[in-house]
Amino acid sequence: MSLLSGLTRSPDAHPDLVRVGDRTMSGETLLRCATAVADRLAGAPRVAVEATASLETVVAVVGGLLAGVAVVPVPPDSGPRERAHIYRDSGVPALLAPAGTPVDPDGPPVVPVDLADRSDTTYPEPDDDRPALVLYTSGTTGAPKGAVIGRSAVAACLDALADAWAWTPDDLLVHGLPLFHVHGLVLGVLGPLRLGGRLHHVQRPDPVRYAGAGGSLYFGVPTVWQRVGANPAAARALRGARLLVSGSAGLPAAVFDQLHALTSHRIVERYGMTETLITVSTRADGPRRPGTVGHPLRDVRTRLVDETGADVPADGSSLGELLVSGPGLFQGYLNRPDADAASRTADGWFRTGDVATVDPDGWHRIVGRASTDLIKSGGYRIGAGEVEDALLAHPGVTEAAVVGTPHPDLGQQVTAYVVADGVTGAELIDFVARQLAVHKRPRQVHLVDGLPRTPLGKVQKSRLTG
């Protein structure tokens, strides 16, 4: 089956298959435009794409995939140093970008994507093991690494999500996520093109734009859903949707409850990484619990281990690093065999670096990153996410991030950064101590105006200092 079978099987099914902002394109036009791009790629191993929220980006990505060329999305807001690293590390011979894009003297030649170009060349479907994408992801140290995502991994992930979310060609997907991450690009663009149905990318995930799109399936990150919940009229307009999905970061329980009250939807939460695509999710036909991400998708296995590699019990409270195995795993880090080897166990499990719990019924709860969200204080192992949830339960708190900071006696202490109104740090410490074990209370609370976040809404804890 073609990776983009929903597009290639019946390109004339929708006259408005893809809409980005106020511009629309039929499936037939998309296929012919993308084929014109493929004609110009002639045997290149990889090609960079200026990943703006535009029809040109969709055409460029599809063109690369038709030609069997691995697509390297370049964030449009990336700085010169990051951009130069991506170009150099990936070795791309060209950058696909809208006509008129300025040439970077230190970058590869620009191949313009002109939506007036058309081609009817027929390309054979590339082998399943060919790379589809190279997605650059930043770790805690060093330059971003290029995760090589195979075509079969993309197909397996999307097919498993179609099963979990009852995703069909009748769906109209609406989102406004960046097109250089798994969430916005793989799920948000390639999903409709494989599974059928239409896509409306609203360019900016504004609550009013979401409300006016009339979709059946909506994607967002927690900050988007928080903004939707703060606009009751926009939230109520989503009552007619079939499914609301949140990912890329943990959704606060208060936002889950607020959206349920306003939209009648219990939002679907899911978990994944660049290197694994989506591995765990709640289902369209099943229950949904605030703060949990459900069960492994079809053909995915998970386990929890401690620092020694021993299995951690699935009792709902024991913390362990989440390991995953399944058909959606990446092929490896480009040019980084050392990092690739370090990311896997001897028997092939991928180390996510995320701390989680699993209850006896298999429900997964993601606590956070092992490097920043597992706090070892006075002999206790404390999950930052549990403390953050407790802080967010206070009516005066709108945002919270918890980290471990050095302590001369405890090793680490629980330190919180909180956006709040009408409450003191001491009051918040007492509030948490009344909800959780006393050793989990923050020993220090910093009241701040805002938390540093990535474009997908994840708090950048490395920028918080205690």
Side-chain angles (χ1 to χ4, degrees), residues 315-340:
D315 57 13
S317 59
S318 297
L319 301 173
E321 182 186 4
L322 180 65
L323 307 187
V324 301
S325 175
L329 262 62
F330 75 139
Q331 295 179 348
Y333 294 114
L334 187 67
N335 305 323
R336 291 292 304 274
D338 55 336
D340 190 40

Side-chain angles (χ1 to χ4, degrees), residues 391 394 424-436 441-442 445:
L391 287 164
H394 191 287
T424 67
E427 290 170 338
L428 290 175
I429 292 172
D430 291 341
F431 180 78
V432 173
R434 291 195 299 271
Q435 299 181 75
L436 306 178
R441 75 189 187 283
V445 172

Side-chain angles (χ1 to χ4, degrees), residues 23 42 85 91 225 287 298 330 355 407 426 442:
R23 304 163 71 201
H85 168 72
W225 294 123
R298 185 179 64 197
F330 75 139
V355 177
H407 188 278

Side-chain angles (χ1 to χ4, degrees), residues 1-5 125 128 132 149-162 186 190 194-195 277 298 327-328:
M1 180 189 293
S2 166
L3 176 59
L4 305 177
S5 56
E125 179 68 12
D128 285 348
I149 314 295
R151 298 175 71 94
S152 62
V154 173
C157 173
L158 294 175
D159 291 348
L161 290 178
V186 177
L190 303 187
R194 177 171 178 79
L195 305 175
L277 304 182
R298 185 179 64 197

Side-chain angles (χ1 to χ4, degrees), residues 367-380:
V367 174
R369 297 297 293 168
S371 58
T372 56
D373 294 302
L374 182 60
I375 302 167
K376 299 175 183 178
S377 180
Y380 293 102

